[in-house]
Amino acid sequence: MDTVYIHFDNAELEMTKKSFKSFKSKKYPNENIKTSYIYKIAEKKHDNIIMTDSGYKFTHYLFGKFDLERGAKQPKIIVKNKSFLQSIKLLDYSFFKNTDYNAVCKTFESDNSWEQNVIIFIIDKKEIKNETITLREVRFSRPIKE
């Protein structure tokens, strides 16, 4: 499976990040609370304003023990040296801004399916510190077009 890397920068008005804490489970009261993220990237602007939807979402959701026992897989969090950026191709906001909706979807999904066919990592500019970067594995979802 191919891997796609997205450079996320909150300084772009069309890129927003929401963090939320996992709730405490009654079944596992000693489990640590973890932070999950939703990275939202606005769609390419359309001439017809009705075609603009809520944007593409990339979700990094950390599962609790209850979900893991039922087969959920924890998304990866990888810390690498900053030099790793030189060896990969990064998609940034200009890709989403200048690329047609269907082409964006094809980047992340199988033909004739909404199933994700690539591994996606977000590299948040705010998490690039000193000589390290943090890669967060995310799931892709998109606006529904009829």
Side-chain angles (χ1 to χ4, degrees):
M1 200 179 264
D2 288 339
T3 304
V4 177
Y5 301 93
I6 299 171
H7 182 252
F8 189 88
D9 186 356
N10 248 4
E12 292 283 349
L13 294 177
E14 292 83 2
M15 298 179 113
T16 56
K17 176 181 172 183
K18 179 182 178 186
S19 62
F20 56 96
K21 302 276 186 194
S22 300
F23 59 90
K24 284 244 185 213
S25 164
K26 290 181 182 179
K27 186 173 180 180
Y28 301 102
N30 296 327
E31 186 175 346
N32 292 334
I33 294 177
K34 299 174 179 130
T35 303
S36 297
Y37 300 96
I38 296 174
Y39 301 89
K40 196 170 179 184
I41 301 175
E43 280 185 78
K44 175 181 177 179
K45 300 291 183 206
H46 299 280
D47 293 336
N48 179 354
I49 195 70
I50 296 170
M51 288 298 292
T52 303
D53 206 327
S54 60
Y56 308 103
K57 282 196 264 182
F58 297 88
T59 307
H60 176 84
Y61 181 78
L62 296 170
F63 295 100
K65 288 181 185 176
F66 181 78
D67 296 312
L68 295 172
E69 287 175 356
R70 281 157 184 70
K73 294 194 184 209
Q74 212 63 286
K76 294 176 185 169
I77 301 172
I78 301 170
V79 177
K80 290 198 169 265
N81 188 286
K82 195 172 166 180
S83 63
F84 177 73
L85 294 173
Q86 297 168 350
S87 65
I88 60 172
K89 180 183 177 200
L90 284 172
L91 300 179
D92 60 9
Y93 179 66
S94 64
F95 168 77
F96 295 92
K97 178 175 140 187
N98 298 319
T99 306
D100 179 67
Y101 169 81
N102 289 325
V104 170
C105 295
K106 285 243 183 242
T107 302
F108 305 110
E109 297 173 342
S110 301
D111 288 338
N112 302 318
S113 169
W114 284 24
E115 291 297 316
Q116 184 171 311
N117 70 345
V118 294
I119 299 168
I120 307 167
F121 285 100
I122 292 274
I123 300 171
D124 188 340
K125 182 178 179 183
K126 287 186 176 182
E127 291 187 311
I128 299 175
K129 298 188 180 185
N130 299 323
E131 290 302 311
T132 63
I133 59 171
T134 301
L135 296 95
R136 293 185 184 278
E137 185 178 14
V138 294
R139 296 291 306 163
F140 171 70
S141 60
R142 62 184 171 119
I144 299 170
K145 301 292 180 193
E146 303 203 15

